[in-house]
């Protein structure tokens, strides 16, 4: 079907760098609040953007375990960085949220429901791994018996401008997880930045009617075969230069065989149980609920906050904490991400974005931990399966 | 709920700087509400009027550093239904617990003209080392929002929301970029009890550990990482010898690096 712009879903067009602001204008005119990458506090984070000039133009990052440095590029690339400390989770599943309030009047409690009316988001620069992470959160929040109304409202109207990664970060491993770097679904428009001495353009894949309609306001031309090929080459190059890799063959069975493995003790000696890995992970969704009252007992509020399986209170039940040791907590987290998640939701809980590696203060690396357990089987240093240590 | 009488609140001071008591006065807007809900029976920082005990709730600031105070705290305990300690001095011995690592007589001879007039204990110790404490509110100083939370929880018979996990979780919730990862600045946040809402990292500084050890602090792993970032043994000792130097996990870590 033809959109008003004369473009169809599936078309590939080219927008010049100089016209990127027009895309922002078009989104703003349609009432979206634009959220995307910007430089702040020595990192590329996600926040509200006023214009395309707020994007991290000419910036990139260097990433390793427990290490992130913002760096200048020697060109003016707009999307020349890998994912940073924030994820879209902040916007669709906010870190702190008041669920309801209550007031005491005439000796009775009255519940005041929260009515959140936000303009729809437009997310700019969403990477393939992040689209997979959103799809995983959709399964968690939208597809079960209980739909999360806050997530639904924030997520369903969101306009997605995705970006194919022109380079992988130092801790990326989407190629191992089959979650990138090429954007394949879940976008309205998907951009690939082509930049060299002669040109600075975006090749745009049109993913939805809504995306096609938006392009009616932005100057574009059809993409040539050479330009389409350039996109393929760029993405293939990114895929071949992942900072990390993870062997995922029968990973569920592998981890189920090794609930008791000396490597868990080893990682527990290093792990700070600080929870950073879960906070930065784009698929981790756990929350805690806090009830607060005012001094006079006239008002009460219920708050929901991001929680972590690395805290002790997370498994507090009458009688004690289920996962008291650091070993039990790290094992729970990693086994959930890579194995039990598959049983629970039908996919891996890890999209290979590398955030947990970069933002772990002591560089604990999920790919290394898997490798150590896997290699112990072939070197014979693994305890025999099923045998308690 | 209508109460027959307002609960009686007392605020006690031991060896401390008064900063935590001031957090209560600092509540400004909420102070009237506090005064409306409790009878402030003993609070010399705010008023000379003294109502005799027993008290429903005693807030205790400061550490035990003299023989007289070691006795006084028992009297207060006996006169209090609930006893809540507030601040690093009361919960860990405070900065004055640095004396615990040295010979106090040496300090006396250096600091005072006539050391013989000074009657002091060899150590500065937390209140819980002397009497049973019902709840400890951490911080140097305490966070006034948390103090109001503890008072509200006390008044309404519920458990206060003062989570004992790391500062990192507060840091990430507010969206602060980690100073250790992005700048290489040593930070005590991963081993420190939450409560300050990750104040220092939000000003691009490492955490100083004001709220003491978190629930399961892996200080050894963090120190090893600090040293990779360039911190010396001495830096590590100094970092753990702050306001919470005598808190168990921090004390052991600084001692480990002194050998
Ligand atoms: S993991 Fe893949 S998709 Fe995600 S930022 Fe890295 S290269 Fe891009
Ligand atoms: S487990 Fe780590 S690499 Fe995997 S999705 Fe979460 S943060 Fe990214
Ligand atoms: S793996 Fe790293 S980020 Fe996660 S809890 Fe342990 S030390 Fe913190
Ligand atoms: S800045 Fe400090 S408190 Fe914040 S996440 Fe990093 S290590 Fe933790």
């Amino acid at each position: 079907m033809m959109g008003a712009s004369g473009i169809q879903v599936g078309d590939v067009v080219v927008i010049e760098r100089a016209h990127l602001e027009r895309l922002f204008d078009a989104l703003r005119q349609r009432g979206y609040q634009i959220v995307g990458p910007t430089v702040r506090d020595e990192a590329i984070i996600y926040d509200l953007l006023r214009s395309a000039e707020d994007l991290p133009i000419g910036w990139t990052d260097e990433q390793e375990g427990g290490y992130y440095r913002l760096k200048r590029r020697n060109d003016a690339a707009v999307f020349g960085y890998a994912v940073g400390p924030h994820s879209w989770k902040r916007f669709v599943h906010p870190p702190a949220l008041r669920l309801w309030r209550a007031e005491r009047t005439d000796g009775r409690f009255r519940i005041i429901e929260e009515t959140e009316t936000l303009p729809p988001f437009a997310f700019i620069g969403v990477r393939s791994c992040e689209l997979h992470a959103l799809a995983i959160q959709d399964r968690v929040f939208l597809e079960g018996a209980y739909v999360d109304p806050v997530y639904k409202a924030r997520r369903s109207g969101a306009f997605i401008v995705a970006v194919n990664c022109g380079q992988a970060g130092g801790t990326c491993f989407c190629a191992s997880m089959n979650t990138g770097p090429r954007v394949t679904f879940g976008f309205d428009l998907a951009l690939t930045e082509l930049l060299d001495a002669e040109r600075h353009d975006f090749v745009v894949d049109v993913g939805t009617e809504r995306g096609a309609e938006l392009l009616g306001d932005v100057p574009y031309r059809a993409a040539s075969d050479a330009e389409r090929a350039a996109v393929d080459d760029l993405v293939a190059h990114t895929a071949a230069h992942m900072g990390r890799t993870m062997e995922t063959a029968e990973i569920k069975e592998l981890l189920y065989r090794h609930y008791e493995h000396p490597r868990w003790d080893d990682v527990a000696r290093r792990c700070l149980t600080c929870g950073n890995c879960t906070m930065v992970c784009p698929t981790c969704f756990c929350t805690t609920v806090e009830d607060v009252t005012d001094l006079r007992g006239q008002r009460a509020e219920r708050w929901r906050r991001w929680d972590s399986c690395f805290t002790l209170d997370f498994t507090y039940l009458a009688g004690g904490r289920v996962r008291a040791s650091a070993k039990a907590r790290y094992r729970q987290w990693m086994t959930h991400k890579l194995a039990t998640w598959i049983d629970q939701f039908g996919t891996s809980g890890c999209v290979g974005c590398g955030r947990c590696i970069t933002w772990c203060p002591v560089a604990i690396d999920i790919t290394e931990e898997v490798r150590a357990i896997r290699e112990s089987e072939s070197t014979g240093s693994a305890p025999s399966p099923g045998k308690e240590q | 709920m209508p109460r027959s009488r307002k609960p009686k609140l007392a605020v006690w001071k031991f060896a401390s700087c008064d900063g935590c008591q001031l957090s209560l006065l600092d509540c400004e807007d909420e102070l009237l509400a506090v005064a409306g809900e409790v009878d402030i029976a003993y609070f010399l920082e705010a008023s000379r009027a003294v109502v005799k005990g027993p008290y429903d709730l005693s807030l205790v600031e400061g550490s035990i550093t003299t023989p007289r105070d070691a006795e006084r705290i028992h009297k207060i305990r006996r006169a209090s239904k609930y006893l809540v300690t507030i601040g690093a001095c009361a919960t860990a011995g405070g900065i004055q617990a640095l004396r615990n690592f040295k010979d106090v007589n040496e300090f006396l001879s250096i600091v005072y003209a006539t050391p013989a007039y000074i009657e002091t204990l060899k150590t500065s110790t937390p209140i819980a080392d002397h009497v049973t404490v019902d709840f400890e509110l951490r911080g140097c100083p305490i966070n006034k929002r948390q103090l109001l939370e503890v008072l509200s929880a006390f008044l309404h018979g519920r458990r206060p929301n003062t989570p004992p996990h790391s500062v990192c979780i507060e840091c990430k919730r507010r969206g602060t970029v980690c100073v250790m990862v992005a700048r290489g600045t040593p930070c005590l946040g991963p081993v420190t009890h939450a409560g300050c809402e990750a104040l220092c990292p939000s000003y691009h500084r490492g955490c100083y550990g004001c709220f003491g050890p978190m629930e399961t602090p892996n200080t050894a792993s963090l120190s090893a990482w600090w040293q990779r970032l360039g911190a010396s043994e001495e830096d590590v000792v100094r970092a753990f010898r702050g306001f919470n130097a005598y808190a168990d996990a921090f004390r052991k870590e600084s001692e480990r690096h002194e050998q």
Side-chain angles (χ1 to χ4, degrees):
Chain A
M1 213 177 82
M2 293 283 254
S5 54
I7 305 181
Q8 304 180 38
V9 173
D11 279 357
V12 184
V13 301
V14 174
I15 299 177
E16 287 173 24
R17 164 67 182 88
H19 293 140
L20 191 60
E21 195 65 51
R22 301 282 289 273
L23 189 77
F24 273 60
D25 292 340
L27 286 165
R28 245 189 317 269
Q29 276 158 20
R30 285 162 182 75
Y32 291 104
Q33 49 174 343
I34 303 175
V35 181
T38 192
V39 170
R40 171 141 353 123
D41 295 339
E42 299 295 313
I44 295 165
I45 58 128
Y46 296 154
D47 204 350
L48 290 174
L49 303 180
R50 285 158 306 164
S51 96
E53 294 309 301
D54 288 343
L55 291 164
I57 300 162
W59 290 100
T60 190
D61 49 75
E62 211 176 281
Q63 300 195 39
E64 260 308 320
Y67 182 90
Y68 180 103
R69 288 295 179 279
L70 185 67
K71 290 270 145 101
R72 269 273 169 217
R73 295 178 60 94
N74 53 18
D75 61 20
V78 176
F79 297 108
Y81 58 88
V83 294
H86 289 181
S87 74
W88 307 103
K89 178 168 92 169
R90 294 198 78 68
F91 301 94
V92 288
H93 179 52
L97 184 77
R98 190 167 61 197
L99 296 175
W100 48 260
R101 291 177 294 143
E103 266 178 21
R104 195 199 298 274
T105 33
D106 308 326
R108 298 181 58 182
F109 254 99
R110 191 167 62 90
I111 303 281
I112 305 161
E113 291 199 26
E114 288 296 326
T115 44
E116 188 182 58
T117 40
L118 286 174
F121 290 117
F123 294 147
I124 310 290
V126 184
R127 305 306 171 102
S128 177
C129 60
E130 301 187 299
L131 287 170
H132 281 264
L134 284 166
I136 289 173
Q137 293 220 316
D138 288 350
R139 225 160 281 140
V140 173
F141 289 124
L142 303 178
E143 286 170 22
Y146 304 99
V147 169
D148 182 324
V150 174
Y151 181 90
K152 189 176 175 203
R154 287 165 165 255
R155 166 76 166 117
S156 54
F159 190 101
I160 306 269
V161 180
V163 163
N164 279 316
C165 289
Q167 67 190 59
T171 56
C172 292
F173 58 104
C174 60
S176 300
M177 306 309 287
N178 278 321
T179 52
R182 177 162 218 137
V183 169
T184 54
F185 69 93
F187 59 90
D188 293 289
L189 297 172
L191 276 46
T192 309
E193 188 167 19
L194 297 182
L195 171 62
D196 59 33
E198 277 91 52
R199 66 184 300 177
H200 194 175
D201 299 316
F202 298 101
V203 178
V204 183
D205 282 88
V206 180
T208 58
E209 294 291 335
R210 191 162 67 156
E213 187 274 328
L214 192 90
L215 287 184
D217 289 0
V218 186
Y220 67 85
R221 59 175 172 75
S224 67
D225 287 346
E227 283 165 331
R228 290 169 188 244
V231 171
D232 294 342
D233 290 348
L234 191 74
V235 176
H237 182 265
T238 304
H241 291 83
M242 290 281 131
R244 293 287 192 280
T245 57
M246 186 194 277
E247 175 57 71
T248 57
E250 307 213 357
I251 193 163
K252 188 175 94 175
E253 292 73 16
L254 175 77
L255 294 176
Y256 285 177
R257 276 198 296 279
H258 294 295
Y259 279 127
E260 295 300 333
H261 191 287
R263 186 70 185 190
W264 301 123
D265 297 303
D266 183 90
V267 70
R269 275 191 291 278
R270 288 172 280 135
C271 178
L272 306 166
T273 61
C274 62
N276 274 303
C277 46
T278 56
M279 296 283 128
V280 294
C281 179
T283 69
C284 277
F285 53 78
C286 286
T287 52
T288 181
V289 166
E290 269 178 21
D291 288 341
V292 293
T293 50
D294 72 342
L295 285 161
R296 297 173 56 220
Q298 295 304 304
R299 291 206 178 84
E301 293 182 353
R302 174 161 290 181
W303 283 80
R304 183 177 85 181
R305 294 180 210 282
W306 285 357
D307 200 5
S308 169
C309 50
F310 282 91
T311 72
L312 273 183
D313 282 348
F314 191 80
T315 58
Y316 182 82
L317 302 170
R321 274 95 181 204
V322 176
R323 286 190 285 270
S325 70
K327 170 185 169 179
R329 283 178 265 163
Y330 187 84
R331 179 177 56 194
Q332 151 63 27
W333 179 69
M334 192 174 108
T335 312
H336 190 211
K337 289 276 106 163
L338 299 173
T340 47
W341 202 293
I342 299 173
D343 287 335
Q344 193 180 3
F345 299 111
T347 65
S348 173
C350 172
V351 298
C353 72
R355 285 183 179 89
C356 58
I357 306 171
T358 299
W359 300 97
C360 171
V362 291
I364 291 171
D365 180 338
I366 190 169
T367 67
E368 267 307 304
E369 299 309 313
V370 170
R371 190 168 295 118
I373 290 177
R374 195 181 282 283
E375 284 177 358
S376 71
E377 284 197 337
S378 46
T379 59
S381 61
S384 43
K387 217 178 94 199
E388 289 288 304
Q389 285 275 293
Chain B
M1 223 170 299
R3 258 187 292 260
S4 47
R5 65 168 179 87
K6 288 200 270 182
K8 264 162 55 180
L9 172 79
V11 185
W12 308 95
K13 176 184 160 60
F14 287 80
S16 60
C17 75
D18 287 25
C20 290
Q21 296 188 53
L22 283 175
S23 314
L24 185 56
L25 292 181
D26 199 31
C27 288
E28 293 165 5
D29 296 346
E30 300 90 345
L31 197 57
L32 281 179
V34 174
E37 297 309 304
V38 298
D39 229 344
I40 302 184
Y42 185 93
F43 188 12
L44 292 184
E45 183 85 45
S47 151
R48 296 243 185 110
V50 173
V51 181
K52 282 176 73 177
Y55 307 98
D56 294 286
L57 173 63
S58 277
L59 298 177
V60 178
E61 176 198 88
S63 68
I64 303 296
T65 56
T66 66
R68 237 188 80 219
D69 277 356
E71 275 175 39
R72 185 163 62 103
I73 189 62
H74 283 279
K75 285 191 197 133
I76 292 169
R77 174 71 267 192
R78 278 195 295 276
S80 312
K81 192 165 165 205
Y82 289 101
L83 190 153
V84 172
T85 51
I86 58 171
C89 298
T91 60
I95 191 74
Q96 59 275 25
L98 286 177
R99 69 162 70 169
N100 304 5
F101 299 89
K102 296 269 169 0
D103 180 1
V104 75
N105 292 318
E106 275 179 39
F107 292 130
L108 288 181
S109 59
I110 295 165
V111 176
Y112 297 98
T114 321
Y117 290 158
I118 306 296
E119 197 187 16
T120 186
L121 296 170
K122 281 191 164 43
T123 53
S124 166
T125 44
I127 302 299
D129 281 8
H130 301 264
V131 296
T132 304
V133 169
D134 296 297
F135 188 79
E136 293 191 316
L137 182 63
R138 304 279 201 87
C140 184
I142 54 170
N143 173 332
K144 80 171 195 191
R145 201 189 46 76
Q146 282 204 326
L147 178 62
L148 288 168
E149 166 62 10
V150 168
L151 291 174
S152 305
F154 164 77
L155 286 167
H156 303 292
R158 61 178 174 85
R159 187 181 142 191
N161 295 302
T162 55
H165 56 59
S166 70
V167 174
C168 300
I169 288 181
E170 295 186 308
C171 214
K172 285 291 184 286
R173 281 192 195 132
R174 65 185 283 175
T176 301
V177 176
C178 177
V179 300
M180 198 142 69
V181 171
R183 296 169 193 258
T185 304
C187 179
L188 283 179
V191 297
T192 300
H193 190 295
C196 64
E197 292 157 61
L199 189 60
C200 290
S202 77
Y203 288 95
H204 314 149
R205 308 291 294 261
C207 164
Y208 293 95
C210 306
F211 283 61
M214 53 87 90
E215 53 194 6
T216 50
N218 188 345
T219 51
S221 172
L222 184 66
S223 301
W225 193 262
W226 272 43
Q227 290 181 309
R228 284 181 57 167
L229 294 178
S232 65
E233 289 282 291
E234 210 188 325
D235 294 334
V236 173
V237 173
R238 216 176 291 129
F240 284 103
R241 293 258 166 100
F243 320 108
N244 288 281
Y246 203 57
D248 221 36
F250 287 7
R251 174 178 61 78
K252 284 186 182 137
E253 190 60 21
S254 71
E255 284 171 350
R256 213 166 61 81
H257 290 271
E258 220 173 24
Q259 283 150 21

